[in-house]
């Protein structure tokens, strides 16, 4: 019998492999990854500086340890270059492997703005352990760090850098931080809280060319302000990795298209995690991939099971000012906000006046279970 083959050893790939073994799949299992296959929790990358963790401390298990735990073959440093859905084969290096079922868990990649200037190529993004290792090394020699992108990841890195004693500037066109997930009052509360710890916000503007200046960088913002920094981090979002699937003729839209069973448009090929668009939704977070891995493992063990998502609030790791949000599924409806000195409580009601989202900041985050209960009523 040919193996179940998983491409990718991020949280999606490894969680699925663990789930398969937990559900007593006893057949052969092959994981193929472009990287070193270390098992780690990606969300910790934006809180690791303040905890003084390097890549070794973040590594929960090596590929060898995972291979032994999972009773699997793990091919590291092996980018897959082609999939032949008709032949049921994948190609990496000079190897062509035949699979029984194939799972694409190939993740997402940081969006790179079309930056100009002689320093543009040196702007960093952090989306995996190696990126973090490089970033951490450069941060050691940096006093001031500029972050392009005041979204969730940008704010988490700002929080981590502030706690590590760095000066932090945050630049972006948004009117308030994390504007795609938070209503204005909550975003302003975060802005104020991080400012009180030293963050300097340059909102409603964008950077110009990134020029080298001494040992650091300089950019003139569109609003005319000149900013300098020793290091620049770009955190403007991620996009699903889809080229491999596209080349293989799979349907790709906002990710690799799957149905509720995580089946792609090709027989015996599934997609899971950041790379997938499940029933039209790309959800690049841990909770959806956990739910997906569980359902997919059950399907691969012989009992067809569609993924069902629980209520999945997002805990934003701005530890200086915590936030929990359950973004509403639609833009229709309205927010009802209760600000207080200790934090913001916001409830979102849809067009039918049904509670369909919430936000809690600061001390109000202790009310998470109350809000989840209200949602489930
Ligand atoms: C800094 C940061 C903080 C975050 N914080 C949170 C949080 O607090 N809560 C939350 O829910 N989510 C958070 N997220 C998002 C979450 O971490 C991701 O949704 C999740 O880790 C994605 O896992 P994945 O396995 O789908 O993708 P990835 O981790 O990107 O893994 C993709 C894998 O595919 C491999 N690969 C890609 N192409 C190929 C190829 N051609 N051949 C072979 N291998 C290939 C890669 O080498 C890698 O092993 C955060 C993300 C970041 C960057």
């Amino acid at each position: 019998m040919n193996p179940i083959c998983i491409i990718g050893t991020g949280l999606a790939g490894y969680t699925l492999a663990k789930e398969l073994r937990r559900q007593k799949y006893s057949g052969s299992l092959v994981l193929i990854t472009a990287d070193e296959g270390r098992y780690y929790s990606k969300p910790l990358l934006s809180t690791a500086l303040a905890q003084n963790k390097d890549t070794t401390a973040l590594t929960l298990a090596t590929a060898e340890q995972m291979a032994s735990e999972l009773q699997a073959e793990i091919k590291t440093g092996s980018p897959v270059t082609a999939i032949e859905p008709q032949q049921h084969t994948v190609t990496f290096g000079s190897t062509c492997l035949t699979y029984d079922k194939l799972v694409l868990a190939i993740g997402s990649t940081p969006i790179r703005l079309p930056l100009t200037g002689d320093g543009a190529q040196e702007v960093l993004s952090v989306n995996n352990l190696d990126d973090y290792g490089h970033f951490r090394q450069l941060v050691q020699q940096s006093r001031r760090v500029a972050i392009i992108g005041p979204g969730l990841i940008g704010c988490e890195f700002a929080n981590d850098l502030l706690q590590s004693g760095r000066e932090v500037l945050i630049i972006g066109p948004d009117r308030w931080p994390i504007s795609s997930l938070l209503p204005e009052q909550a975003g302003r509360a975060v802005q104020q809280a991080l400012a009180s710890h030293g963050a300097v916000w340059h909102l409603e503007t964008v950077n110009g060319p990134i020029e080298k200046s001494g040992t650091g960088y300089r950019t003139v913002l569109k609003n005319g302000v000149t900013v300098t920094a020793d290091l620049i981090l770009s955190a403007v979002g991620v996009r699903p990795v889809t080229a491999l699937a596209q080349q293989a003729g799979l349907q790709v839209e906002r990710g690799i298209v799957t149905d509720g069973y995580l089946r792609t448009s090709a027989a015996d090929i599934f997609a899971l995690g950041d790379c997938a668009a499940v029933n039209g939704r790309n959800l690049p977070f841990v909770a959806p991939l956990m739910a997906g891995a569980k359902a997919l493992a059950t399907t691969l063990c012989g009992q067809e099971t569609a993924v069902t998502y629980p209520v999945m609030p997002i805990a934003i790791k701005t530890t200086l000012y915590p936030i929990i949000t359950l973004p509403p599924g639609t833009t229709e409806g309205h927010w009802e906000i209760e600000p207080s000195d200790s934090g913001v409580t916001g409830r979102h009601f849809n067009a039918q006046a049904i509670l369909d989202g919430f936000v809690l900041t600061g001390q109000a985050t202790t009310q998470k279970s109350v809000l989840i209960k209200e949602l489930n009523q």
Side-chain angles (χ1 to χ4, degrees):
M1 179 88 170
N2 290 318
I4 291 181
C5 176
I6 301 172
I7 309 179
T9 55
L11 283 174
Y14 273 142
T15 305
L16 174 65
K18 282 171 176 246
E19 232 357 272
L20 281 166
R21 290 310 188 201
R22 204 182 63 76
Q23 297 191 27
K24 308 289 182 237
Y25 168 73
S26 58
S28 63
L29 189 56
V30 177
L31 288 93
I32 310 168
T33 179
D35 59 36
E36 289 176 43
R38 288 176 286 180
Y39 178 50
Y40 72 104
S41 172
K42 191 185 277 195
L44 298 186
L45 297 182
S46 50
T47 55
L49 285 177
Q51 293 172 12
N52 201 18
K53 288 194 172 164
D54 60 12
T55 54
T56 308
L58 289 169
T59 302
L60 299 169
T62 62
E64 292 72 29
Q65 289 165 332
M66 292 305 288
S68 155
E69 179 191 324
L70 296 165
Q71 291 297 293
E73 240 185 286
I74 303 182
K75 310 280 188 191
T76 59
S78 303
V80 171
T81 49
I83 300 169
E84 291 290 346
Q86 300 300 327
Q87 280 81 41
H88 278 50
T89 61
V90 294
T91 304
F92 50 98
S94 54
T95 305
C96 181
L97 183 125
T98 305
Y99 60 81
D100 179 39
K101 309 279 184 210
L102 176 67
V103 181
L104 305 177
I106 51 182
S108 55
T109 185
I111 293 171
R112 295 290 293 183
L113 295 173
L115 298 174
T116 57
D118 61 0
Q121 293 307 315
E122 294 172 20
V123 171
L124 303 180
S125 320
V126 177
N127 189 44
N128 58 41
L129 264 187
D130 287 344
D131 292 344
Y132 172 74
H134 184 48
F135 169 66
R136 185 172 187 272
Q137 195 185 0
L138 295 176
V139 165
Q140 314 287 342
Q141 305 139 31
S142 306
R143 187 172 54 86
R144 182 184 298 157
V145 181
I147 298 172
I148 301 174
L152 184 156
I153 301 290
C155 287
E156 290 190 351
F157 276 111
N159 179 87
D160 205 26
L161 286 158
L162 288 169
Q163 286 192 307
S164 316
R166 302 303 186 285
E167 291 174 25
V168 178
L169 318 167
I170 307 136
I171 305 161
D174 317 53
R175 285 179 52 219
W176 62 84
I178 323 182
S179 59
S180 64
L181 297 176
L182 303 181
E184 179 165 359
Q185 294 93 327
R188 296 266 178 232
V190 183
Q191 182 178 353
Q192 214 169 14
L194 293 189
S196 74
H197 288 275
V200 176
W201 298 92
H202 296 281
L203 297 176
E204 298 187 62
T205 190
V206 292
N207 60 279
I210 308 291
E211 307 291 355
K212 290 187 187 178
S213 168
T215 56
Y217 308 93
R218 175 180 177 277
T219 183
V220 180
L221 306 182
K222 201 172 175 192
N223 64 9
V225 173
T226 299
V227 301
T228 59
D230 303 309
L231 191 64
I232 305 186
L233 179 68
S234 169
V236 295
V238 292
R239 73 163 58 96
V241 173
T242 55
L244 185 63
Q246 208 153 17
Q247 284 159 21
L250 272 57
Q251 195 187 345
V252 166
E253 282 166 16
R254 263 183 255 168
I256 303 168
V257 170
T258 81
D259 63 11
Y261 295 83
L262 307 179
R263 294 181 291 221
T264 68
S265 55
D268 297 325
I269 305 183
F270 302 80
L272 174 71
D274 281 11
C275 65
V278 180
N279 285 332
R281 288 169 79 198
N282 174 247
L283 299 169
F285 296 103
V286 176
L289 72 81
M290 293 283 180
K294 212 168 197 164
L296 181 52
T298 312
T299 298
L300 294 175
C301 287
Q303 193 183 330
E304 295 239 306
T305 303
V307 62
T308 50
Y309 295 122
V311 174
M312 298 184 290
I314 301 167
I316 302 178
K317 303 182 298 297
T318 42
T319 50
L320 293 166
Y321 190 73
I323 309 161
I324 299 175
T325 180
L326 181 74
T330 63
T331 47
E332 287 167 25
H334 68 283
W335 283 98
E336 288 183 9
I337 305 283
E338 288 168 34
S340 79
D341 290 345
S342 56
V344 171
T345 301
R347 291 175 177 77
H348 189 270
F349 295 90
N350 66 15
Q352 287 76 44
I354 295 167
L355 183 67
D356 70 343
F358 65 81
V359 64
L360 300 164
T361 74
Q363 286 294 318
T365 50
T366 55
Q367 298 305 302
K368 175 181 157 190
S369 50
V370 175
L371 269 288
I372 291 178
K373 209 167 160 190
E374 283 182 30
L375 263 166
N376 289 330
Q377 276 169 4

